[in-house]
Amino acid sequence: MSAVSGPHRPSRRAILRSAGALAALGPLAACGNNNGRGGSSSGGGKSISQWYHQYGEKGTQQAAQKFAKAYKKADVSIQWVAGDYGSKLSAGLLSSSGPDVFEDQPNIQMVKAKQAVPLDDIVGPVKGDYLPADIASHTIDGKIYGVRMIDDPQFFYYRKSLFAKAGVQVPTTLDELIAAAAKLTNGKMKGVFLGNDLHGIAAPLVWSAGADTLTADHKPAYHTDAVVGGLKSLRTLWTSGHLLTGAPTDYTDPGSFLNELCAIQFCGMWAMPAILAKFPGDVGVFPFPKVGDAGKLSVYNGGWSAFVSSKAKDVDAAKAFVKWLWIDQTAYQKEWALNYGFHIPPRASIRSQATKLQSGVAADGVKLFNTYGHFDNPAFTPAMATALQAVLADSVRSGGDPGKALDKCDTTVNGQLKQLFG
């Protein structure tokens, strides 16, 4: 879901991964306080503060308030956090006045800093109903942190009519994507939009080059010849005049595609209802294309999960609320995933009821997710993600040497790994 009118703000990966960082980032900025219970005392004196980032889709804030108001065992207040959610949450988790329940993605720093509590007792009984990858990505040191709320695959949207007119086939390699962008560019429209700073494609580029962020034994896995080649190709695209840059909204928002500023846009499944409404019968999706001879198609799976802060006023009460909302209330979970943009429910029992995702372009998106999906590695810390994103800034946007940019990234990543694993 969006923070801009499409989903999570630029750079989405950095925002999602940054909230568990260890360093304090300054005082918490004011957040919109929307009390879901209207200050009633029906919660038996217990109160819970629940934080969300500012979703962009219409109805999300009202839904969150409705869910909170329906809970009868505590007074739940909703903090609808505008702006840089990651930084504000990071500061909040270091404060006694921070959230009791919050949404984020799991990372090992959050756990080592003891900012979240394990949730095995509430997830365990339904563990088999979740996607195995969602359980694995939330398991750190043998314990489950966080309850997955939604899965958000990211891929490319394109206009079928524009492809037909230009004689373009769906790209399966990065070189083909670059060639398609050239054919689709005209006086009014650029061929492709990858985001204003390219941060969103950092990990997909690595995966599509047949590499990974880290090895299973926690070593850098992204510094390969194929990744270097992909960076050089992206530099060619950056300087070609066929890539949309400086767009009014970033890749997380479908505005550039909807306003016909580009023929192809990298975005997320959350944007699908708006895109299908604007261009009915004229939309297709495809994964991030292969990079190099050993490349593989890839789809980045983001999303949000609910966590309980170790500094919660009443940890047990906070866990009970998370269990009630994100495990017991399956109707609310289905509503959250399907009524405000499209998201994939992480539980098999709910996915089987998601008829909106079982046909057409939505079904194509689910198939891409199932076939090519990659989940975040919780050991790839926010600082590592930022360092990888800086590689694109240095070598693609600024034209620096890709090998040297990756060397610089290696220094940060190896330093982080040494701190974490010795």
Side-chain angles (χ1 to χ4, degrees), residues 105-130:
Q105 282 194 335
N107 70 75
I108 197 168
Q109 284 186 331
M110 178 195 299
V111 173
K112 289 189 176 293
K114 303 187 187 304
Q115 294 176 326
V117 300
L119 300 179
D120 299 78
D121 52 340
I122 66 175
V123 177
V126 293
K127 181 178 177 180
D129 196 30
Y130 285 86

Side-chain angles (χ1 to χ4, degrees), residues 139-196:
T139 301
I140 301 172
D141 294 335
K143 296 180 180 179
I144 299 173
Y145 292 84
V147 179
R148 193 64 154 179
M149 298 156 54
I150 47 177
D151 284 314
D152 273 340
Q154 299 176 22
F155 33 64
F156 286 94
Y157 289 92
Y158 71 96
R159 296 270 304 281
K160 294 180 179 180
S161 61
L162 296 179
F163 271 42
K165 183 178 180 180
V168 172
Q169 300 297 314
V170 174
T172 60
T173 69
L174 182 56
D175 288 342
E176 290 175 358
L177 176 63
I178 294 171
K183 290 183 178 180
L184 292 163
T185 297
N186 57 42
K188 298 180 180 179
M189 176 185 292
K190 295 294 186 181
V192 64
F193 183 45
L194 301 174
N196 286 327

Side-chain angles (χ1 to χ4, degrees), residues 112-406:
K112 289 189 176 293
K114 303 187 187 304
Q115 294 176 326
V117 300
L119 300 179
D120 299 78
D121 52 340
I122 66 175
V123 177
V126 293
K127 181 178 177 180
D129 196 30
Y130 285 86
L131 286 168
D134 273 323
I135 295 296
S137 64
H138 287 65
T139 301
I140 301 172
D141 294 335
K143 296 180 180 179
I144 299 173
Y145 292 84
V147 179
R148 193 64 154 179
M149 298 156 54
I150 47 177
D151 284 314
D152 273 340
Q154 299 176 22
F155 33 64
F156 286 94
Y157 289 92
Y158 71 96
R159 296 270 304 281
K160 294 180 179 180
S161 61
L162 296 179
F163 271 42
K165 183 178 180 180
V168 172
Q169 300 297 314
V170 174
T172 60
T173 69
L174 182 56
D175 288 342
E176 290 175 358
L177 176 63
I178 294 171
K183 290 183 178 180
L184 292 163
T185 297
N186 57 42
K188 298 180 180 179
M189 176 185 292
K190 295 294 186 181
V192 64
F193 183 45
L194 301 174
N196 286 327
D197 58 16
L198 304 184
H199 285 175
I201 65 166
L205 174 70
V206 168
W207 292 322
S208 283
D212 207 341
T213 51
L214 297 174
T215 63
D217 57 350
H218 306 125
K219 292 182 175 62
Y222 52 81
H223 195 155
T224 68
D225 290 342
V227 171
V228 170
L231 292 167
K232 291 179 178 178
S233 294
L234 286 174
R235 175 61 182 174
T236 299
L237 177 61
W238 182 267
T239 59
S240 68
H242 306 141
L243 178 70
L244 177 63
T245 59
T249 57
D250 211 348
Y251 79 99
T252 53
D253 187 297
S256 292
F257 193 79
L258 295 176
N259 292 316
E260 301 186 69
L261 301 180
C262 60
I264 307 170
Q265 179 175 333
F266 185 71
C267 195
M269 193 161 182
W270 55 78
M272 191 173 287
I275 290 175
L276 295 179
K278 179 67 181 290
F279 305 112
D282 192 27
V283 177
V285 292
F286 63 90
F288 201 93
K290 300 176 184 178
V291 178
D293 294 337
K296 300 177 181 179
L297 301 175
S298 72
V299 169
Y300 171 52
N301 178 51
W304 293 98
S305 304
F307 296 84
V308 172
S309 171
S310 58
K311 291 187 177 182
K313 294 182 292 293
D314 186 329
V315 169
D316 289 337
K319 288 171 66 174
F321 171 66
V322 169
K323 178 180 183 298
W324 174 83
L325 179 53
W326 297 115
I327 293 179
D328 297 340
Q329 302 304 309
T330 55
Y332 285 163
Q333 294 161 41
K334 181 180 177 182
E335 175 184 343
W336 192 246
L338 300 173
N339 287 15
Y340 316 103
F342 283 170
H343 314 267
I344 298 177
R347 298 177 65 176
S349 58
I350 300 176
R351 286 197 307 279
S352 65
Q353 304 171 34
T355 55
K356 293 180 180 179
L357 305 182
Q358 293 172 3
S359 62
V361 182
D364 294 339
V366 172
K367 184 177 180 180
L368 294 182
F369 165 82
N370 289 332
T371 306
Y372 306 114
H374 288 264
F375 290 67
D376 279 312
N377 184 338
F380 199 69
T381 67
M384 296 180 199
T386 299
L388 184 60
Q389 292 161 0
V391 170
L392 279 88
D394 293 344
S395 62
V396 178
R397 290 160 52 200
S398 298
D401 180 80
K404 291 181 179 179
L406 287 167

